[in-house]
Amino acid sequence: MEAWGGGSFRSVLDRSVAPYLWRPWYDSVATPAIAKVFFPLSRAWASAVAAEGNLDRFHHTVDDGPPRRAVGQRILNSVDQGWKQYQAVLDEWEAAFFGGNGDRTLLDGLEKRRLAAARKAMALRAGFLPGHLERPFPAARFDVEKEPSVTRRHGDHRHSPDGGMIPDPSAKVVASENFQRDGVRWSWGRCDAPPGIDALPAEARIREPARSRPRATLVFAHGIGMETEMWGEQGTIPDWFLAKGFRVIEPQGPWHARRRVSGHYGGEPIFARGPGGLLDYSWTHVREIGTWIAHAKMLDADHPRPVLLAGISLGALTTMQVLSWAGHWPDRARPDHAMLIAPAASLIEVAYRGSLTGGMGVPATLAANGWSEESVAGWAPLLDAGDRPALSPSRILAVLGDVDQITPYQSGEDLVRRWNIPAENVFRRNQGHFTVSLGLTASPDPLHRALDVVLG
């Protein structure tokens, strides 16, 4: 998760106050705010969307406590109306972009309308603050899967040389209609999710220079709860590479944005279901990333261009897993380079010693559902860094915040040492988890190094 740093104001911040804003103090404020406010308000909002204005249904599904007097029919009606307005625009968007039922000259405006409706609907979670102050909403509605159930689904993968993490590089990607804005061509791609879990189709936003061939492709793996398709952040790392002439492919991870599970906010099942949730997410998204890489290389088949896979936080974990398993993949599904931003080598470190998971009560919840550090560690072969990456270490970059307490800094250092990433490709900053990523476009030495590595 990149935390609250999106929006058009980012360019102003990067030019002015970024050196003062993206410091460790920001993380000390943002981390508890996300764990104790943003995620709980998101939990209430997701229940309200699913309740469709039914107050009893909302109180029954938001958590296990008694109804809150501060949550009444008015806020539920606002959420229901806002979401239905978004869905109406989305239906029009779908028909125009994927159904061929629209005037192509109107696509840019339709995308702006969709995004405006999405932002408005998502922002209504703030209306649950009075209810949260009356009695805190939970950060997630936990429904932790027991280990025997997880073993039935993933036990064989744990003992397989390829971990079951084999993508389908030939999966058919359906391209949407496209439009141009300020010299950039916008489109979306969509394909079936890999078999194994109940997930809506995989989707990615694709942007590229409209008047020239891309110099390379960036496939960007987002963090948990990051939903650019709904919030529309600007001035972020993908935009930086886009401005340098890259094609940018931004996949939506399972359970995020248009792939959100009804009754949950974006990414919530990863926390709520415990190790089984993270295993399902990784098993699905790692394979999807391979498909998007293959798609990028197919687009450049006549004039091959390199593919850089980059990820933040959970996206860095996904990128790490891709590099751990891609040695078993066809060449066309492998990235050529990789960039890990705020990574960790170990799931145990994140789950049991990370400040965000601790603030959300994840360790205690796992223990209450029969999981221990030892039993979670038994799934490390599928989730942690492999002994060696599928790429030469010289093609991998890492950016670490030395006071990162969410994906603990020392675990990132363990990854750098284990994979022998060269010193010139490792950037350590006196920042925390959020500020190390938010500050990259303001102080982009690691990004410039990535250009040098990718483009030679």
Side-chain angles (χ1 to χ4, degrees), residues 302-348:
D302 294 340
H303 298 273
R305 298 290 192 273
V307 174
L308 167 65
L309 173 61
I312 291 178
S313 188
L314 176 64
L317 176 62
T318 303
T319 299
M320 176 192 74
Q321 292 166 337
V322 167
L323 297 182
S324 297
W325 298 109
H328 299 277
W329 293 6
D331 288 345
R332 66 185 186 277
R334 297 182 195 175
D336 300 296
H337 309 274
M339 188 173 192
L340 302 147
I341 304 166
S346 167
L347 166 68
I348 286 287

Side-chain angles (χ1 to χ4, degrees), residues 45 49 78-88 118 121-122 124 230 257 260:
W45 171 85
V49 171
S78 295
V79 170
D80 187 47
Q81 181 181 21
W83 192 252
K84 286 177 178 175
Q85 289 173 346
Y86 165 69
Q87 287 290 341
M122 297 278 278
L124 287 170
M230 306 299 288
R260 184 179 64 86

Side-chain angles (χ1 to χ4, degrees), residues 47-273:
S47 282
V49 171
E52 298 181 315
N54 186 309
L55 194 59
D56 290 338
R57 190 185 309 162
F58 168 81
H59 287 306
H60 178 71
T61 59
V62 70
D63 62 12
D64 296 327
R68 294 166 176 80
R69 290 173 295 176
V71 178
Q73 194 63 52
R74 183 176 179 180
I75 180 60
L76 258 67
N77 289 344
S78 295
V79 170
D80 187 47
Q81 181 181 21
W83 192 252
K84 286 177 178 175
Q85 289 173 346
Y86 165 69
Q87 287 290 341
V89 178
L90 181 60
D91 289 344
E92 187 179 350
W93 187 96
E94 287 280 347
F97 278 88
F98 283 97
N101 298 327
D103 184 342
R104 291 194 62 192
T105 64
L106 303 179
L107 294 179
D108 188 1
L110 181 55
E111 166 58 9
K112 290 175 180 176
R113 283 177 51 212
R114 183 199 65 81
L115 187 55
R119 285 172 172 162
K120 180 179 178 181
M122 297 278 278
L124 287 170
R125 65 192 69 196
F128 293 96
L129 184 58
H132 186 57
L133 294 176
E134 177 184 338
R135 180 167 58 85
F137 295 108
R141 187 167 176 83
F142 288 101
D143 184 16
V144 175
E145 185 179 8
K146 299 298 193 290
E147 187 167 19
S149 175
V150 175
T151 300
R152 283 193 295 272
R153 293 187 300 106
H154 289 290
D156 290 343
H157 302 149
R158 184 165 46 178
H159 304 294
S160 170
D162 59 31
M165 303 276 192
I166 301 294
D168 180 2
S170 301
K172 182 180 180 182
V173 174
V174 177
S176 76
E177 298 287 349
N178 67 82
F179 65 86
Q180 294 186 24
R181 180 193 301 168
D182 299 329
V184 173
R185 182 181 297 107
W186 293 58
S187 66
W188 282 257
R190 186 176 288 170
C191 65
D192 291 339
I197 70 168
D198 184 16
L200 293 172
E203 187 173 291
R205 184 175 69 178
I206 303 173
R207 294 176 292 160
E208 58 190 348
R211 303 184 186 97
S212 61
R213 289 186 178 276
R215 302 169 74 190
T217 294
L218 168 71
V219 176
F220 184 76
H222 62 71
I224 194 166
M226 287 175 63
E227 297 180 291
T228 301
E229 277 291 286
M230 306 299 288
W231 293 110
E233 295 97 332
Q234 300 174 23
T236 55
I237 293 164
D239 298 279
W240 191 93
F241 280 98
L242 181 66
K244 301 299 181 183
F246 278 53
R247 174 192 295 116
V248 173
I249 298 179
E250 298 172 85
Q252 299 173 22
W255 309 327
H256 287 81
R258 283 190 287 278
R259 309 179 73 187
R260 184 179 64 86
V261 178
S262 178
H264 293 276
Y265 61 84
E268 183 183 8
I270 301 171
F271 292 124
R273 291 176 47 210

